[in-house]
Amino acid sequence: MKKAILVAICILFTTTIFAQQALDKIFLKDEIRMVVIEEVGINTIKYRHKDEATSYIISKHQVDKIEFSSGREEVFESPFKPVKSLEDSEKVYISYIPQDVEGLKAMGDVFSKATGVTALASINNVKNRAVRKIKIEAAMLGANVILIGDTFQRGNQYGNENIPANATMTTLSGIAYSTEKTDFTSLKEKLENNRFQYFQSAKLNRNAWDVNLQYPETHNAKGDLILVDFENVVIRDGGLYVQTKGIRTKGNELKVVNSNEEMVVLMERDGKTIYNYTLFSEKDPKVAMAIKIANSK
């Protein structure tokens, strides 16, 4: 009997201590988690929720800072940077750690291949070109993080009279993710209530050397600025899609992959080829000035 009472007291004492345990704060981009930090590792943070025994792991790259119950604060600088257009492709972060992308929004698969022109081509130069291409493809999908799933690299193979030579080659494949949170309702309203100037198209084929850029006509025969309207704007499958007659495209529907107050980037895929269409809204200073000049004629 005494033994049972002693065990009960120990359990009660342990439970009380745990219940009174102060919590740590994990600051994420869009939320604060009140937890018990168990371990801060090289790449990850291990924690559990109050009154629970299950442990969870989160990438340090997704955490802004930790405020420990002791009062100490630890700040982290994330390598995840905003990627708003093709011009930001160098900011795309490449990871080989699955925890880095847990909870992030998957934007699609990415792949790149780069081959040396001759058997004397530099291995590093070819690898760098493959990395650049996969970053460009991710940026065109509206992503800023890539989790690499498979890599292949072949060095220069010198041939002879019986065996042909092969130049160095690098291939990379993975899945692109985005850390950005988008208010599709307000974005939908903006696209429906504004006109846009079609500024640039970008085309990237996985077998091509580089991305191909084209600039459409911005003014009609009368000298007036050509503006584009969106006839149908739909929120579906965690994304925003539009239809327009102002752009010649492969399909009838384009996905919005990036947008701000002055710009919108649309995307479509056709097999191994990805397309981006960049448009500037009436609120862009240059577009607004062009409209003002046209109206003053």
Side-chain angles (χ1 to χ4, degrees):
M1 183 66 179
K2 290 182 179 180
K3 184 177 181 181
I5 294 174
L6 183 60
V7 171
I9 291 174
C10 290
I11 294 175
L12 179 62
F13 179 76
T14 302
T15 303
T16 302
I17 292 296
F18 185 79
Q20 293 177 347
Q21 184 175 11
L23 298 178
D24 308 302
K25 294 181 181 179
I26 295 181
F27 288 77
L28 305 178
K29 185 173 183 179
D30 54 358
E31 69 170 306
I32 300 175
R33 296 181 186 176
M34 305 294 292
V35 299
V36 178
I37 301 293
E38 296 183 330
E39 180 184 345
V40 178
I42 297 176
N43 299 306
T44 59
I45 298 167
K46 185 178 180 181
Y47 68 92
R48 56 184 167 82
H49 294 284
K50 181 182 178 182
D51 300 332
E52 294 183 8
T54 303
S55 295
Y56 299 87
I57 294 177
I58 187 171
S59 169
K60 291 169 71 174
H61 297 337
Q62 298 187 33
V63 177
D64 290 335
K65 68 176 181 178
I66 296 175
E67 286 185 2
F68 294 95
S69 58
S70 64
R72 185 173 67 87
E73 183 176 284
E74 189 167 351
V75 179
F76 305 97
E77 184 177 355
S78 175
F80 299 162
K81 307 300 180 184
V83 174
K84 296 300 182 183
S85 66
L86 183 61
E87 285 70 28
D88 294 332
S89 61
E90 279 301 315
K91 297 180 182 178
V92 173
Y93 181 76
I94 291 182
S95 173
Y96 294 84
I97 304 173
Q99 287 89 350
D100 279 349
V101 298
E102 285 187 3
L104 301 186
K105 182 179 179 181
M107 305 300 288
D109 65 285
V110 286
F111 174 87
S112 73
K113 179 176 73 172
T115 305
V117 178
T118 69
L120 298 176
S122 166
I123 294 177
N124 286 336
N125 288 345
V126 171
K127 179 181 178 181
N128 291 339
R129 185 151 49 86
V131 169
R132 179 176 178 273
K133 284 177 63 178
I134 202 169
K135 285 186 174 185
I136 289 174
E137 185 168 331
M140 293 177 73
L141 288 174
N144 61 336
V145 183
I146 301 172
L147 177 65
I148 297 295
D150 187 45
T151 63
F152 171 78
Q153 188 168 19
R154 180 188 70 201
N156 289 309
Q157 297 175 342
Y158 301 98
N160 53 43
E161 59 181 7
N162 299 315
I163 302 175
N166 287 309
T168 180
M169 181 179 71
T170 296
T171 62
L172 301 170
S173 63
I175 299 176
Y177 293 84
S178 174
T179 62
E180 298 299 309
K181 307 292 183 182
T182 304
D183 183 351
F184 290 121
T185 301
S186 61
L187 179 54
K188 179 177 184 292
E189 183 179 352
K190 186 188 80 170
L191 297 183
E192 290 175 329
N193 296 299
N194 284 279
R195 295 177 299 168
F196 296 82
Q197 177 202 358
Y198 177 22
F199 170 69
Q200 174 187 273
S201 69
K203 173 184 175 182
L204 179 67
N205 184 283
R206 288 178 171 177
N207 294 321
W209 181 273
D210 204 347
V211 64
N212 177 263
L213 301 178
Q214 292 187 356
Y215 298 88
E217 293 292 335
T218 58
H219 294 74
N220 59 24
K222 297 180 180 180
D224 297 327
L225 189 69
I226 301 173
L227 295 174
V228 173
D229 294 301
F230 296 119
E231 291 85 20
N232 193 24
V233 185
V234 179
I235 300 174
R236 187 183 71 249
D237 303 327
L240 188 65
Y241 299 83
V242 304
Q243 292 180 353
T244 179
K245 297 177 182 178
I247 305 175
R248 294 184 61 183
T249 63
K250 296 292 182 180
N252 296 322
E253 194 172 57
L254 303 172
K255 182 178 182 181
V256 179
V257 293
N258 267 310
S259 180
N260 56 35
E261 284 301 315
E262 299 175 353
M263 180 189 71
V264 61
V265 180
L266 310 176
M267 183 274 297
E268 68 175 337
R269 297 186 86 160
D270 180 26
K272 296 181 180 180
T273 306
I274 184 170
Y275 301 85
N276 269 183
Y277 308 96
T278 302
L279 301 91
F280 289 99
S281 78
E282 297 169 294
K283 295 181 180 180
D284 177 80
K286 293 181 180 179
V287 177
M289 180 59 69
I291 294 175
K292 184 178 180 180
I293 293 173
N295 292 337
S296 65
K297 293 180 180 179

